[in-house]
Amino acid sequence: MGRKRVFSGIRPTGPIHLGNYLGAIKSWIQLQDRYECIYAIVDYHGMTTPYHPAEMRANVRELLIDYLAAGVDPERSILMVQSAVPEHTELAWILGTVTPIAWLERVPTFKEKAEQHPDYVHLGLLSYGVLMAADIVLYKAEVVPVGEDQLPHLELTREIVRRFHHLFGVRIFPEPQALVPQDTARIMSLTDPEKKMSKTLGPRSLIALSDPPEAIREKIMKAVTDTGPSGERMSPGVANLFQLLKIFGTEEEYRSLRAEYDAGTLRYVNLKRTLADAIIRSLEPFRRRRAELENDPAYLERVLRDGIRRARAIARETMAEVKEACGLLRDEPGLGEAGVAAAAGSKAAGEQAPEAVERR
Ligand code: AQP
């Protein structure tokens, strides 16, 4: 038995931030030893909200650098770009034929995005969850490390898998489980701490891992703390800052500032200064590694080529099983007439098939 598979991805819509890192990428790195991991740059998903075509390719490159600098190891994990493996959309189409529209309309992110961009509500946005299901099951992934916001998508994936198996009388895919970190499933925005930190809320709301130290300091110093009269409970903004301090600061820093808060003597400026220093310190190795990678385009290209090749090999195997189950022509690129004849049951075509397979 091979190792179980892990799949996860991020949209190339901007630099990764502390939410992406603590919600997903930190787990990705920990899983690399025990699982066969596939980590994707999901550019087709990036097209579901307004974007500039000219920026997409640059964002893909930047995200690849972010993954590598954060510790994703291409020797152990597959790093790939979604649009370079056409089986993602092929399988999404097939899964779309078994997914009731009502399931998609109730997905919270669909409703949120439709409200955010009322002029950009399209079929691709509605079927985001179907494409995500295809991304995962194409690799028969069993574990999907993600932040809390992705749980409805994972539930939808499992429902789609069950329905596909039921309708076609097969069992091809495992039902994937989300792996959500216990303490960092939802890092909140610095400017709007009732909402999750996200690229959509703008650069001031987040700390990008690649932010220069001055920018990190400035954003933390301006982070929202108490928005109204302070009550019994810690406000979401202050709670978020303490959560980050627990991760990035020393035990002593956290303990003493927390004691000051409990005693009612804490000055938020001190909390912010300590936190900014701690984050800047922690991200220093990331910044250094990132700068090295920036200067090595040949290595980046090698990583991607290799990742795409390895991902495609798995994807093709799954698609062969799926097409068999669905009664579709066995798809072998370059098979041409032999493939069509094989579908028609001709003997001669059967003899030609192995040669055609070799040509893949
Ligand atoms: N704030 C967060 N806390 C914990 N986990 C988070 N993730 C995102 N934000 C947080 C996790 O990161 C992975 C990638 O998510 P994404 O591609 O949706 O990234 P994003 O920053 O959320 O991007 P956008 O453009 O701002 O998208 P929206 O607004 O749609 O979320 C996922 O595993 C996610 O859970």
Side-chain angles (χ1 to χ4, degrees):
M1 264 292 278
R3 285 180 300 168
K4 286 185 180 176
R5 290 209 184 107
V6 165
F7 178 91
S8 194
I10 298 184
R11 306 186 325 141
T13 46
I16 54 170
H17 52 74
L18 291 183
N20 301 140
Y21 177 70
L22 298 169
I25 297 180
K26 207 168 164 206
S27 313
W28 296 8
I29 294 160
Q30 288 160 358
L31 292 167
Q32 296 184 110
D33 284 331
R34 285 182 291 133
Y35 295 87
E36 181 179 6
C37 301
I38 297 126
Y39 297 131
I41 294 172
V42 287
D43 49 354
Y44 279 145
H45 286 293
M47 295 175 75
T48 57
T49 43
Y51 75 103
H52 298 293
E55 287 171 10
M56 178 68 94
R57 226 167 274 151
N59 281 344
V60 167
R61 180 179 180 276
E62 295 301 310
L63 191 52
L64 175 65
I65 297 176
D66 275 352
Y67 282 4
L68 292 166
V72 179
D73 175 5
E75 298 291 324
R76 287 179 291 163
S77 301
I78 295 176
L79 270 139
M80 51 85 65
V81 178
Q82 185 186 33
S83 66
V85 177
E87 285 79 5
H88 283 255
T89 38
E90 210 180 346
L91 183 55
W93 171 263
I94 294 173
L95 297 183
T97 67
V98 305
T99 308
I101 291 172
W103 289 6
L104 301 174
E105 284 171 335
R106 68 174 193 231
V107 172
T109 39
F110 171 66
K111 294 184 211 157
E112 277 163 32
K113 296 288 173 207
E115 269 172 33
Q116 264 169 19
H117 308 287
D119 299 332
Y120 214 74
V121 182
H122 48 80
L123 185 58
L125 187 66
L126 182 65
S127 64
Y128 189 106
V130 179
L131 180 57
M132 183 163 156
D135 297 338
I136 297 166
V137 304
L138 185 59
Y139 301 102
K140 300 191 180 180
E142 293 179 59
V143 180
V144 184
V146 281
E148 195 179 62
D149 59 305
Q150 294 297 323
L151 288 178
H153 282 138
L154 259 291
E155 187 49 41
L156 177 69
T157 301
R158 282 193 294 274
E159 283 178 313
I160 294 174
V161 165
R162 286 197 283 271
R163 195 165 158 91
F164 181 89
H165 287 164
H166 173 72
L167 289 175
F168 291 104
V170 287
R171 290 196 67 77
I172 296 179
F173 309 118
E175 283 185 29
Q177 299 299 321
L179 182 78
V180 176
Q182 247 177 10
D183 299 331
T184 57
R186 198 176 184 82
I187 302 297
M188 307 313 279
S189 152
L190 297 177
T191 49
D192 195 351
E194 308 263 4
K195 296 188 178 149
K196 71 161 192 146
M197 183 179 282
S198 130
K199 290 166 252 170
T200 322
L201 294 178
R204 308 213 68 78
S205 74
L206 57 84
I207 303 287
L209 268 59
S210 52
D211 272 343
E214 321 77 74
I216 296 177
R217 192 174 305 285
E218 198 189 326
K219 289 184 199 180
I220 294 287
M221 296 313 287
K222 287 192 176 150
V224 169
T225 46
D226 289 334
T227 39
S230 51
E232 295 260 299
R233 285 190 51 209
M234 194 183 267
S235 72
V238 177
N240 198 35
L241 297 181
F242 267 113
Q243 187 185 18
L244 292 173
L245 185 66
K246 200 168 186 179
I247 298 160
F248 293 106
T250 62
E251 244 180 88
E252 175 52 24
E253 283 168 340
Y254 179 80
R255 205 193 46 71
S256 69
L257 287 164
R258 184 60 219 234
E260 285 180 31
Y261 175 86
D262 290 338
T265 56
L266 177 68
R267 292 178 61 224
Y268 290 139
V269 67
N270 289 342
L271 169 63
K272 289 176 169 180
R273 267 194 206 127
T274 310
L275 176 61
D277 287 342
I279 295 177
I280 291 167
R281 201 168 58 225
S282 305
L283 292 182
E284 175 55 29
F286 173 88
R287 273 193 301 276
R288 223 177 314 119
R289 176 90 183 106
R290 205 177 191 293
E292 286 163 16
L293 288 161
E294 285 275 5
N295 291 322
D296 199 350
Y299 173 71
L300 298 176
E301 193 183 322
R302 239 181 5 257
V303 166
L304 262 198
R305 272 187 198 287
D306 182 57
I308 289 165
R309 183 185 52 75
R310 288 156 68 199
R312 257 208 117 173
I314 304 171
R316 280 183 174 144
E317 277 181 24
T318 307
M319 282 313 293
E321 279 183 76
V322 169
K323 288 192 165 181
E324 183 70 34
C326 299
L328 296 166
L329 286 196
R330 277 178 219 117
D331 163 52
E332 303 297 350
L335 205 67
E337 283 174 22
V340 176
S346 133
K347 262 192 186 162
E351 285 160 15
Q352 288 169 33
E355 184 210 329
V357 171
E358 273 168 24
R359 266 193 267 134
R360 265 196 291 173

